[in-house]
């Protein structure tokens, strides 16, 4: 059974940082590309970042480029999202998703996990 468990969210002031983690199990993690998506209050799913299975190719949405960094540790079967210079508009539930094919890595897939809440507020 595929399991994706996100953690690391919380309340942070504007300009602050958080590091999200997503622990994967139940599939061959090192063979899958991975992505982060988010859902802000009252809005749909937004794709924000993806990383290929080797970890040597990454992509970011314009809204987070230069502030967020995606990475992965295949030995730990975990993908990370380092978020810096956070803004109130980054407030959302963040999810990690599997990406079998890189050609679709920007698709805002519906998540199947619980996600982790990030709230940016003073």
């Amino acid at each position: 059974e595929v399991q994706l468990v996100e953690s690391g969210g919380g309340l942070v002031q504007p300009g602050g940082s958080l590091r999200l983690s997503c622990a994967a199990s139940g599939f061959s993690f090192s063979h899958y590309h991975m992505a982060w998506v988010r859902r802000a209050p009252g809005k749909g799913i937004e794709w924000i970042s993806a990383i290929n299975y080797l970890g040597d190719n990454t992509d970011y949405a314009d809204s987070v480029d230069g502030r967020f960094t995606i990475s992965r540790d295949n030995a730990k079967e975990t993908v990370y999202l380092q978020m810096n210079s956070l803004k109130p508009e980054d407030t959302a539930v963040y999810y990690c998703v599997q990406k079998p094919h890189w050609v679709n890595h920007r698709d805002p897939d519906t998540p199947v996990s619980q996600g982790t809440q990030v709230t940016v507020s003073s």
Side-chain angles (χ1 to χ4, degrees):
E1 178 187 1
V2 172
Q3 286 199 326
L4 298 167
V5 180
E6 300 90 348
S7 62
L11 174 64
V12 63
Q13 293 187 339
S17 298
L18 283 174
R19 189 193 194 204
L20 306 185
S21 299
C22 170
S25 62
F27 64 101
S28 298
F29 179 79
S30 62
H31 293 169
Y32 278 79
H33 315 303
M34 298 295 293
W36 286 93
V37 298
R38 67 186 180 187
R39 179 184 280 132
K43 296 187 177 181
I45 295 293
E46 177 189 13
W47 170 84
I48 56 174
S49 184
I51 187 167
N52 73 338
Y53 72 104
L54 287 174
D56 61 359
N57 191 11
T58 59
D59 194 14
Y60 300 92
D62 290 345
S63 58
V64 306
D65 197 10
R67 300 187 298 122
F68 290 11
T69 302
I70 190 171
S71 62
R72 66 189 295 160
D73 185 333
N74 284 346
K76 295 182 178 179
E77 297 188 317
T78 301
V79 60
Y80 305 97
L81 188 68
Q82 177 67 43
M83 305 188 297
N84 299 329
S85 303
L86 282 161
K87 305 175 181 180
E89 51 263 44
D90 293 318
T91 296
V93 180
Y94 285 72
Y95 306 86
C96 61
V97 296
Q98 295 173 292
K99 289 289 187 179
H101 306 292
W102 189 250
V103 67
N104 305 121
H105 75 274
R106 283 182 164 242
D107 290 353
D109 297 335
T110 299
V112 297
S113 49
Q114 294 297 311
T116 186
Q117 175 71 49
V118 172
T119 302
V120 184
S121 175
S122 55

